[in-house]
Amino acid sequence: MSTVEQLKKQLVEQGFLALTREYEAGIPETLEFALDDGLKVQLLDTGVIVFEPSSPANTDLVISSGVHGNETAPIEIVDDLVRRILMQELSVHNRVLCIIGNPVAMNMSQRFDIENMNRLFNGKHQGKEHHEALRAKRLEDYVKDFFGKREDATRCHYDLHTAIRGSKYARFSIYPYPDGRDWNKEQLSFMLASDINTILLGHQPSGTFSYFSSHQFEAHAFTVELGKVKPFGENTMSDFAAITANLSTLIEGKTVNVKAFDNEDFNLFEVKDELLKKSESFALNISDDLENFSSFDAGFQLSEDSDGGYRVEEDGEAIVFPNAKVPVGQRAGLVVRKTRI
Ligand SMILES: [Zn+2]
């Protein structure tokens, strides 16, 4: 059997995740074939697969997972979507790019190996030669090629994650900084229909995968946090039923039924401040298992640092992504507060 035939057999019989695991550093050859219904399948790289129907509907859809290697639920969601597509249980009517972002870290069961990949996009990989920087660059190129094929399509990118710690709200999305464009209320309604009613509105450009797609291609892009990190096989997939169903509906080229946007249906948060780790003496005055979006009263000394740290200014300020272990100079958490749009 030729290498290509072997790869195809592995992909179809063992699945996208198993193949990505086996070839963490890259596949021996790229793969292209068509299913019975004419759907073109291209395996472009390890963890990178494109589906193109012969006459696609108007949405170009990127579904990414595993940018953080230990965030297994999103990887299992993507693996299952790919399996259903290959089995022709799920009929593809939009162009779809599915990604497992960081196979090396995934095989290590770690968030990352050398550097947090979700801070390396939008050119932040430049000048770096380690494998995660190179992978971020390649993923950018695949997304660029994918979106670049059509000018008039609606571009969407849902980058699926799970969080290190629990959250006061089980699921939430980060809506990347829109560079002056309006927040898209239909997309927010799509999130609500996907059982995600907590949204953190991005306040500035960043190195995330979703910001890259939003900034470079004006895609409707989100970092979607689906719950807490768990090992493979320990996720409760029914927790993700709504988003999985809605992504399937989009893949099928059908319309997802959504409710008109209403601020009352959401917990919308804006960023009030960033906790920048300025010195090795930085510390957070919270417990290790404090949930994301936990709030504080005015006057609470949230962090200590060489410059005095951060004292809460208004009742209700909350913290998201606290992580005192980041290197000096990096963000150790976000202070957020409720808002409306
Ligand atoms: Zn993540």
Side-chain angles (χ1 to χ4, degrees):
M1 200 184 284
S2 72
T3 312
V4 165
E5 284 166 353
Q6 182 65 37
L7 266 182
K8 182 180 169 187
K9 188 172 147 68
Q10 268 184 288
L11 173 65
V12 173
E13 290 180 5
Q14 293 165 30
F16 184 50
L17 168 56
L19 192 77
T20 305
R21 265 196 185 295
E22 179 163 345
Y23 297 103
E24 62 171 30
I27 47 175
E29 295 203 48
T30 57
L31 188 60
E32 181 176 329
F33 59 97
L35 298 182
D36 299 344
D37 58 4
L39 182 74
K40 188 165 90 174
V41 182
Q42 290 174 289
L43 186 71
L44 299 175
D45 195 341
T46 190
V48 181
I49 193 165
V50 176
F51 301 101
E52 286 190 282
S54 43
S55 41
N58 194 43
T59 299
D60 285 349
L61 175 64
V62 178
I63 306 171
S64 54
S65 67
V67 165
H68 293 136
N70 62 343
E71 296 176 3
T72 58
I75 297 170
E76 290 180 327
I77 290 170
V78 165
D79 184 48
D80 193 54
L81 289 172
V82 170
R83 182 190 61 76
R84 285 161 58 212
I85 292 170
L86 292 173
M87 294 295 132
Q88 300 185 63
E89 292 169 21
L90 182 60
S91 156
V92 180
H93 290 276
N94 279 309
R95 297 177 65 242
V96 184
L97 167 60
C98 289
I99 293 173
I100 297 175
N102 191 344
V104 174
M106 177 177 76
N107 280 349
M108 299 166 86
S109 303
Q110 283 183 196
R111 182 174 172 80
F112 58 87
D113 177 16
I114 294 160
E115 189 170 355
N116 181 351
M117 246 177 82
N118 215 21
R119 293 184 179 178
L120 288 170
F121 290 97
N122 212 35
K124 299 249 189 304
H125 52 73
Q126 276 164 17
K128 297 182 173 177
E129 295 296 324
H130 64 74
H131 70 87
E132 279 152 335
L134 299 176
R135 176 75 172 168
K137 166 79 171 84
R138 285 210 308 283
L139 293 183
E140 285 188 356
D141 289 343
Y142 294 125
V143 169
K144 184 178 175 201
D145 288 347
F146 179 75
F147 282 143
K149 292 247 165 69
R150 294 203 294 181
E151 280 300 315
D152 55 340
T154 300
R155 296 165 174 167
C156 295
H157 180 177
Y158 303 108
D159 184 35
L160 310 181
H161 288 251
T162 46
I164 297 171
R165 58 182 69 223
S167 170
K168 210 173 143 190
Y169 311 105
R171 289 172 286 276
F172 60 98
S173 286
I174 302 153
Y175 196 151
Y177 178 66
D179 297 307
R181 284 174 287 141
D182 290 335
W183 305 111
N184 186 292
K185 291 179 176 171
E186 256 177 71
Q187 285 290 317
L188 291 171
S189 293
F190 175 82
M191 286 294 146
L192 184 68
S194 306
D195 267 354
I196 300 162
N197 71 344
T198 300
I199 312 284
L200 175 57
L201 303 171
H203 66 308
Q204 63 180 27
S206 74
T208 64
F209 203 8
S210 64
Y211 178 69
F212 166 74
S213 290
S214 170
H215 179 65
Q216 302 283 342
F217 310 106
E218 298 195 358
H220 301 300
F222 290 85
T223 304
V224 184
E225 298 282 353
L226 292 171
K228 200 176 169 185
V229 165
K230 288 181 185 166
F232 278 115
E234 291 182 22
N235 297 297
T236 308
M237 298 314 276
S238 58
D239 289 351
F240 323 117
I243 181 115
T244 306
N246 286 345
L247 291 174
S248 302
T249 303
L250 279 184
I251 290 169
E252 289 179 297
K254 295 179 186 160
T255 306
V256 175
N257 290 320
V258 301
K259 182 172 178 277
F261 177 82
D262 181 347
N263 272 290
E264 299 305 319
D265 293 329
F266 289 86
N267 304 303
L268 299 177
F269 286 91
E270 64 183 359
V271 175
K272 175 167 185 292
D273 233 315
E274 287 196 323
L275 300 177
L276 215 60
K277 180 169 174 175
K278 298 195 177 109
S279 71
E280 286 301 345
S281 63
F282 181 90
L284 287 166
N285 291 325
I286 57 171
S287 66
D288 283 344
D289 57 358
L290 186 83
E291 296 180 317
N292 278 318
F293 296 101
S294 295
S295 60
F296 310 99
D297 291 335
F300 176 67
Q301 186 70 38
L302 181 56
S303 70
E304 317 273 352
D305 207 343
S306 54
D307 65 349
Y310 185 83
R311 187 181 292 272
V312 172
E313 291 173 348
E314 299 162 41
D315 286 350
E317 288 178 14
I319 191 156
V320 186
F321 303 133
N323 184 0
K325 291 178 195 145
V326 297
V328 169
Q330 281 197 16
R331 193 188 81 194
L334 286 175
V335 178
V336 301
R337 63 182 167 200
K338 281 212 169 161
T339 189
R340 296 166 72 88
I341 59 170

